[in-house]
């Protein structure tokens, strides 16, 4: 065994227990996990808001957009387990086709926002950001607590 093979096999041994722990996530863990992802979106969106309102310099704008696009790509999977609870309405799962289409659309739009910002400059992605960061339209239908704020 060369050094790389040894390292990889040590790594896989280290990761195996993690995999089985994840397989035992209970409902509370499943709900906490999707909330962590949503909170990440919230923090990054608030940070962008501060930049767009001119309070904070725009140096990190691209990175915030990338962070939102990356987080959006994690969101759908976090709702895949059919575990009603938290503030998620049961309709998330009974209307899964609509919910997952909305989440996929959110993922696509945030990815496009980040790409245009990177290729054409963040100043050209403002309109796309407003359109992509439409969190409210999903919350209105699927979140029992946040329907009228954002
Ligand atoms: C396609 C639907 C959908 C989209 C898009 C979406 N959310 Fe959510 N969000 C949810 C649902 C459903 C919950 C409830 C999760 C729960 O409590 O289990 C939630 C919960 C939250 C929460 C509360 C987390 C907590 O700790 O209870 C925040 C904050 C949040 N979302 C922010 C955002 C932001 C910011 C965006 C947009 C940048 C966004 N969401 C986009 C569906 C969505």
């Amino acid at each position: 065994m060369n050094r790389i093979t040894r390292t990889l096999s040590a790594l896989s041994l280290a990761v195996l227990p993690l995999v089985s722990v994840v397989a035992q996530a209970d409902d509370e863990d499943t709900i906490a996990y999707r909330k962590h992802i949503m909170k990440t979106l919230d923090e990054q969106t608030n940070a962008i808001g501060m930049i767009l309102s001119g309070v904070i310099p725009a140096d990190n704008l691209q990175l915030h957009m990338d962070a939102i696009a990356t987080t959006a790509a994690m969101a759908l999977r976090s709702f895949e387990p059919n575990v009603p609870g938290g503030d998620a309405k049961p309709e998330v799962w009974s209307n899964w086709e609509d919910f997952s289409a909305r989440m996929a659309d959110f993922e696509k739009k945030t990815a496009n926002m980040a790409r245009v910002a990177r290729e054409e400059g963040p100043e050209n992605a403002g309109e796309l950001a407003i359109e992509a960061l439409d969190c409210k339209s999903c919350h209105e239908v699927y979140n029992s607590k946040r329907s009228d704020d954002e």
Side-chain angles (χ1 to χ4, degrees):
M1 256 203 263
N2 65 26
R3 212 166 114 230
I4 293 175
T5 321
R6 258 204 317 274
T7 310
L8 283 179
S9 63
L11 202 66
S12 67
L13 281 181
V15 166
L16 268 181
L18 285 180
V19 171
S20 55
V21 168
V22 168
Q24 286 161 16
D26 61 19
D27 289 359
E28 219 173 285
D29 298 324
T30 299
I31 293 169
Y33 178 64
R34 68 191 184 221
K35 281 180 182 286
H36 283 309
I37 289 174
M38 282 292 154
K39 277 188 265 190
T40 306
L41 287 173
D42 202 40
E43 296 292 352
Q44 293 295 327
T45 304
N46 288 339
I48 287 188
M50 294 186 80
I51 292 171
L52 295 183
S53 68
V55 190
I56 299 291
D59 312 65
N60 276 340
L61 185 53
Q62 178 72 54
L63 292 172
H64 287 303
M65 287 180 171
D66 291 342
I68 288 183
T70 302
T71 311
M74 304 169 197
L76 182 58
R77 200 169 295 144
S78 77
F79 282 94
E80 274 171 4
N82 184 342
V83 178
D87 306 324
K89 293 191 185 164
E91 284 80 1
V92 167
W93 297 276
S94 57
N95 296 341
W96 180 253
E97 210 172 304
D98 176 68
F99 181 83
S100 58
R102 284 169 188 260
M103 201 59 104
D105 189 53
F106 175 62
E107 180 180 345
K108 207 168 86 193
K109 284 184 175 154
T110 52
N112 192 43
M113 161 192 80
R115 184 188 55 78
V116 169
R118 188 171 294 285
E119 290 173 3
E120 298 170 25
E123 66 280 6
N124 292 310
E127 280 294 313
L128 290 177
I130 291 167
E131 207 198 319
L133 302 178
D134 173 23
C135 320
K136 190 180 170 188
S137 64
C138 183
H139 291 166
E140 265 171 0
V141 188
Y142 291 109
N143 184 320
S144 58
K145 268 224 191 100
R146 300 181 75 85
S147 52
D148 40 54
D149 52 1
E150 56 195 82

